[in-house]
Amino acid sequence: MIVCRAPYRVSFFGGGTDYSEWFKAHGGCFLSTAIDHHIYITLRQKPALDKFRYRVVWRELEDVSEISAIKHPFVRAALAHDTLPSGLDVVYSGDLPHGAGLGSSSTFGVTFLTALDALKGAQSTPDEMAKRVYHIERHTLGETVGVQDQYAAAFGGFNYGRIGKDGSLSLERIRLPESRLKALEDRLIFVFTGVSRHASDVAASKVKNFKSKEQSLHRMMAMTEEARAILLGDQPLDAFGELLHESWMLKKDLSDKICPPVVENIYADARKAGVLGGKLLGAGGGGFMMLFVPEGEKGRVEQQLRDYVQVPVKLDAPGPEV
């Protein structure tokens, strides 16, 4: 039996510029980190006597005889060209809800393919793994996805990514001193909006508006480099939070699907409580909102936002583990 886990991610800056519809013309970049919450996959080769050759346990329980009958899109697509003997149990569980803006679809893909490799005695480099997952999501399943989530889950850690117009991607590991990383964690609150959504649908509406929002996206790219410099420098972290606010004002204007009323209300309440900045994680529409609080004020703001579900998060988590 193989048990594998891979981390969800938090994207601070650059989201949107990692879609091919943008970076093929302008390049792209992002600043993101893996976090200490995970997706888990358990795999077991089924005995020959079981007439249902595939069991897939996710939000549904599937017992089917053929790969083509599997409903879970990524599992079906990944197994369609696999060389394992017939018969597999696949059991999924996750620390946080699917569709919450934490890159769960790509994290699932990285976890599942890493577990499949382990079952076969194979191994992919993190770069190979990220590309395999992206290929299935984007080209086999036709999802509107960017390239950063797969790299966050496959590599782990805290990273600045730069994307070339040819789709090449280079990662710079952001190695913060423990005190600086802890200071950043102490400024962040993660609030669940209560809304889960299909990220590809929200992303598709955003991508359609790229041509009319070029100025905003270029500014969002520039802020990614500014945020990297703030983290790696010694200036106060308030500037990081203020950049988050500016970025969120630009992001929510990319599509009318990004910021529903429930999100507007949460952010308005947070700003009244003294939050310096924040953003809705992922493509938008729901999921988690990340809030940046003044130094030493986390406990007070958490108490003022006690009516909302809050989840503790630690940054710079490792990549996949078997």
Side-chain angles (χ1 to χ4, degrees):
M1 180 177 288
I2 301 296
V3 181
C4 181
R5 74 176 189 177
Y8 297 98
R9 67 94 186 97
V10 163
S11 177
F12 290 105
F13 291 94
T17 73
D18 63 318
Y19 290 83
S20 61
E21 290 85 351
W22 175 262
F23 68 68
K24 283 183 178 180
H26 309 280
C29 55
F30 58 86
L31 182 69
S32 70
T33 180
I35 62 173
D36 66 334
H37 297 278
H38 301 83
I39 281 176
Y40 301 81
I41 299 286
T42 302
L43 294 187
R44 182 181 73 99
Q45 199 76 55
K46 289 178 76 74
L49 53 86
D50 194 331
K51 68 174 183 177
F52 292 112
R53 301 310 301 143
Y54 298 92
R55 167 168 282 209
V56 184
V57 183
W58 49 307
R59 68 169 176 258
E60 299 186 31
L61 195 162
E62 303 187 57
D63 280 311
V64 299
S65 299
E66 302 291 339
I67 290 172
S68 59
I70 295 173
K71 293 181 182 178
H72 191 291
F74 193 95
V75 174
R76 183 182 65 250
L79 292 179
H81 303 290
D82 200 78
T83 57
L84 280 170
S86 172
L88 197 64
D89 282 330
V90 182
V91 180
Y92 153 85
S93 60
D95 290 335
L96 299 170
H98 186 78
L102 300 169
S104 57
S105 294
S106 297
T107 295
F108 180 95
V110 168
T111 314
F112 184 61
L113 292 190
T114 300
L116 275 183
D117 280 356
L119 197 61
K120 295 184 290 187
Q123 190 172 10
S124 298
T125 67
D127 185 70
E128 290 168 344
M129 177 60 65
K131 288 175 179 175
R132 287 170 64 193
V133 173
Y134 178 76
H135 180 82
I136 291 174
E137 289 184 302
R138 183 79 194 215
H139 300 293
T140 304
L141 299 177
E143 299 281 354
T144 304
V145 296
V147 299
Q148 70 160 308
D149 294 355
Q150 304 83 1
Y151 280 81
F155 279 83
F158 203 142
N159 299 291
Y160 172 76
R162 184 172 292 279
I163 310 162
K165 294 179 182 180
D166 60 355
S168 60
L169 194 151
S170 61
L171 280 187
E172 173 195 346
R173 182 71 185 271
I174 303 296
R175 300 186 184 277
L176 297 179
E178 187 175 338
S179 59
R180 186 76 164 170
L181 182 65
K182 178 68 164 54
L184 179 61
E185 289 175 346
D186 287 345
R187 306 293 292 273
L188 298 174
I189 297 174
F190 294 84
V191 172
F192 186 52
T193 65
V195 179
S196 297
R197 77 289 179 274
H198 189 228
S200 182
D201 295 337
V202 180
S205 71
K206 180 170 62 178
V207 164
K208 284 192 288 189
N209 296 331
F210 276 177
K211 285 190 179 298
S212 63
K213 302 293 183 180
E214 283 194 9
Q215 185 175 352
S216 294
L217 285 156
H218 279 297
R219 175 62 188 137
M220 291 166 74
M221 286 178 63
M223 280 190 282
T224 306
E225 176 60 35
E226 292 172 26
R228 170 188 169 277
I230 291 168
L231 289 181
L232 293 175
D234 57 5
Q235 67 187 99
L237 287 171
D238 283 4
F240 192 87
E242 291 160 2
L243 271 183
L244 282 172
H245 176 71
E246 183 185 350
S247 178
W248 172 234
M249 293 299 101
L250 293 174
K251 176 179 177 176
K252 71 177 188 174
D253 191 47
L254 294 178
S255 164
D256 59 8
K257 290 187 176 183
I258 287 177
C259 187
V262 63
V263 174
E264 286 278 21
N265 292 338
I266 291 173
Y267 197 61
D269 287 346
R271 292 286 281 178
K272 288 176 186 175
V275 162
L276 297 178
K279 61 171 290 191
L280 197 62
L281 296 172
F288 275 90
M289 175 153 268
M290 177 179 64
L291 305 171
F292 191 96
V293 303
E295 186 175 4
E297 296 289 300
K298 187 172 184 177
R300 178 188 65 78
V301 176
E302 285 176 334
Q303 180 63 20
Q304 287 194 237
L305 299 177
R306 61 187 176 276
D307 292 340
Y308 298 112
V309 176
Q310 301 172 35
V311 175
V313 169
K314 290 195 175 298
L315 313 178
D316 203 9
E321 299 170 290
V322 176

